[in-house]
Amino acid sequence: TLRMAANGHKVSQNGTDPVTKLQDEDNRKVGLGKKVTLLRGISIIVGTIIGAGIFISPKGILRYSGSIGMSLIVWIACGVLSLFGALSYAELGTCIKKSGGHYTYIMEAFGPQMAFVRLWADLIAIRPAAMAVISLAFGQYILEPLFMPCDIPPIAVKLATAIGITSVMYLNSISVTWTARIQILLTFSKLLAIAIIIVPGMYQLFKGETRNFENAFELSNVKLSGMPLAFYSGMYAYAGWFYLNFVTEEIDNPEKTVPLAICISMAVVTSCYVLTNVAYYTVMSAEELLASEAVAVTFAEKLLGNFSIAVPVFVALSCYGSMNGSIFALSRMFFVASREGQLPEVLSMIHVRRHTPLAAVLILYPMTMLQLFVGDIYSLLNFMSFMRWLFIGVVVLGLIYLRYKKPDLPRPFKVPIFIPVVFCLTCFFMVFLSLYSDPINTGIGFAISLTGIPAYYIFIHFNHRPKWLQQFLGNSSLTVTNTLDCQIQLHIKKRIDVLVLKLLFH
């Protein structure tokens, strides 16, 4: 249950039983409304997946796959694999109707310790670093039209980035409805940006500009050891299909909305990614694409002339949409973790007027700002990228496990078993090959995540000591507290909660 404050609750002065009064107050708890419709669900997924990557650097896949043809196959394969993962999450989201995404599903399948390790890695490293990276891209590209053709001072980029992060946090704190509306607007803006690339590219293709596709499947540069890294780049570009599952409790009619939103979103994103890369290759050779720092900008300069100055603005809006969608979804994970007793209780509280999980929204702010100004963000992402796919593989393994552990669990949407099996094996295959390709970074990331185990025992497990040990350690305090009636204690605690929240929110 959530513990929420409500304005105007006063202790009865006419002899009303305090316990009865508390029960009446509990019936008026504040909660998160079901404000995520099908269109908003699609905007969360599409708007979060499509970030800066497709505009800036598709060259990672080309470099590691070795040829244009193989790079397009990797883009398609990653789209199909992401669809498999998304469909698996759709089944989990319709049978476990709780928000929280990865955290909730690992908790249900494998228990609180493994769920806390995932939560710990997210909280101290993965999410702040990922947020800082996408925010830096926003800061870089929102300033580029102002400084062209000069370089942008690094401090100006960081200040613009800090303003962007702060505005996203503020938006998510004041209104769920406006957060969703702006996410829809930003999603349409990035789809417009992709259309500005695809349409001229397809026009060039139909005109016969196919010279870069000759010998597209030249395999002389293809190396098996590089394919896992190519798939990493591709899967990273598609990352975000799981974010709708973080807000399951706020989805209107989740049994239908979740699967439909996921299928439509993945079809849109995969089509956009493949067609955008085809458009790039109609104008740029493989060598030119690998030499470009920002592929979309190079494409626009070659084909669109002066209009190319608008591309950095679209890239910045795309990054802002990813920031907005990520904060909206991730705050619900921390909200649920607090509700489960694995984070401070204040994170499961909701603003009484705005109906937003204010504390859960703001929890990432200090760590993100710290990493923005003093951290080695890109190294940290290298350390932690394989852990993301390891835990996603564990989640889908949990789906397979729940099929046998809880066969009677209602499943309004059920995928064929080969879909989660193929996706799970692919995740573990990429993880283990990354240990071979880059053992140092993956080992460091694994070690960082393992610090969640002692943290679990320090912060969580020791708070659930046996009763005899609690009595031994807290004998003196029990002597005092046992003299109070338990219902009066509950009443006093609720009064304190109300006062604390008034201080926080007023």
Side-chain angles (χ1 to χ4, degrees), residues 4-9 25 28-30 352 495 498 501-502:
M4 309 303 168
N7 290 332
H9 289 177
E25 290 180 358
R28 295 196 293 271
K29 287 178 179 177
V30 179
V352 293
R495 296 300 97 212
V498 171
L501 283 173
K502 283 183 177 180

Side-chain angles (χ1 to χ4, degrees), residues 328-369:
F328 181 78
L330 292 172
S331 61
R332 274 57 179 178
M333 179 178 69
F334 301 130
F335 174 87
V336 172
S338 172
R339 196 170 64 186
E340 295 289 341
Q342 293 196 343
L343 284 177
E345 188 178 19
V346 69
L347 298 179
S348 64
M349 296 180 181
I350 299 171
H351 195 286
V352 293
R353 293 192 306 275
R354 304 189 188 280
H355 293 192
T356 59
L358 181 60
V361 169
L362 297 177
I363 187 174
L364 281 180
Y365 187 73
M367 281 293 293
T368 303
M369 296 298 286

Side-chain angles (χ1 to χ4, degrees), residues 170-446:
Y170 177 75
L171 174 63
N172 278 268
S173 299
I174 62 170
S175 173
V176 172
T177 301
W178 275 104
T179 300
R181 288 173 179 172
I182 290 177
Q183 185 67 13
I184 292 173
L185 178 63
L186 292 170
T187 299
F188 278 112
S189 71
K190 64 180 65 183
L191 290 177
L192 175 61
I194 287 178
I196 291 172
I197 294 172
I198 290 176
V199 172
M202 293 301 102
Y203 177 71
Q204 293 295 314
L205 186 65
F206 294 144
K207 279 176 59 179
E209 294 290 338
T210 60
R211 63 183 182 278
N212 292 326
F213 293 97
E214 297 173 3
N215 301 319
F217 290 93
E218 175 62 43
L219 301 180
S220 59
N221 295 324
V222 176
K223 295 181 180 179
L224 183 61
S225 61
M227 292 307 293
L229 298 176
F231 271 89
Y232 258 135
S233 298
M235 296 297 282
Y236 182 81
Y238 282 99
W241 45 262
F242 41 74
Y243 276 123
L244 188 61
N245 293 71
F246 283 62
V247 297
T248 305
E249 295 171 23
E250 298 172 65
I251 298 175
D252 182 33
N253 193 9
E255 293 87 354
K256 293 182 179 179
T257 302
V258 171
L260 193 56
I262 284 174
C263 290
I264 293 174
S265 300
M266 293 312 301
V268 169
V269 172
T270 304
S271 301
C272 288
Y273 276 7
V274 174
L275 291 176
T276 300
N277 277 275
V278 171
Y280 288 152
Y281 292 130
T282 61
V283 176
M284 291 181 282
S285 66
E287 292 75 16
E288 290 174 321
L289 190 142
L290 290 172
S292 173
E293 291 297 326
V295 179
V297 175
T298 304
F299 174 90
E301 288 172 350
K302 290 194 171 207
L303 209 57
L304 303 178
N306 292 332
F307 187 75
S308 62
I309 196 172
V311 172
V313 177
F314 281 116
V315 175
L317 290 175
S318 181
C319 295
Y320 196 86
S322 294
M323 293 157 59
N324 186 56
S326 298
I327 289 295
F328 181 78
L330 292 172
S331 61
R332 274 57 179 178
M333 179 178 69
F334 301 130
F335 174 87
V336 172
S338 172
R339 196 170 64 186
E340 295 289 341
Q342 293 196 343
L343 284 177
E345 188 178 19
V346 69
L347 298 179
S348 64
M349 296 180 181
I350 299 171
H351 195 286
V352 293
R353 293 192 306 275
R354 304 189 188 280
H355 293 192
T356 59
L358 181 60
V361 169
L362 297 177
I363 187 174
L364 281 180
Y365 187 73
M367 281 293 293
T368 303
M369 296 298 286
L370 180 67
Q371 292 193 18
L372 173 65
F373 285 98
V374 302
D376 188 358
I377 300 166
Y378 293 97
S379 295
L380 190 57
L381 276 182
N382 290 336
F383 296 156
M384 305 306 297
S385 61
F386 90 103
M387 290 302 296
R388 166 185 283 187
W389 298 111
L390 174 62
F391 278 112
I392 289 175
V394 169
V395 170
V396 179
L397 181 64
L399 181 151
I400 301 169
Y401 176 63
L402 288 173
R403 288 277 187 98
Y404 296 96
K405 181 183 177 183
K406 297 181 179 180
D408 298 327
L409 188 69
R411 292 177 171 86
F413 179 81
K414 190 174 182 179
V415 297
I417 192 65
F418 81 89
I419 288 179
V421 169
V422 169
F423 182 78
C424 187
L425 291 175
T426 302
C427 285
F428 291 141
F429 177 73
M430 288 195 301
V431 167
F432 289 125
L433 277 183
S434 70
L435 289 171
Y436 170 76
S437 300
D438 192 6
I440 296 177
N441 281 335
T442 52
I444 293 173
F446 191 67

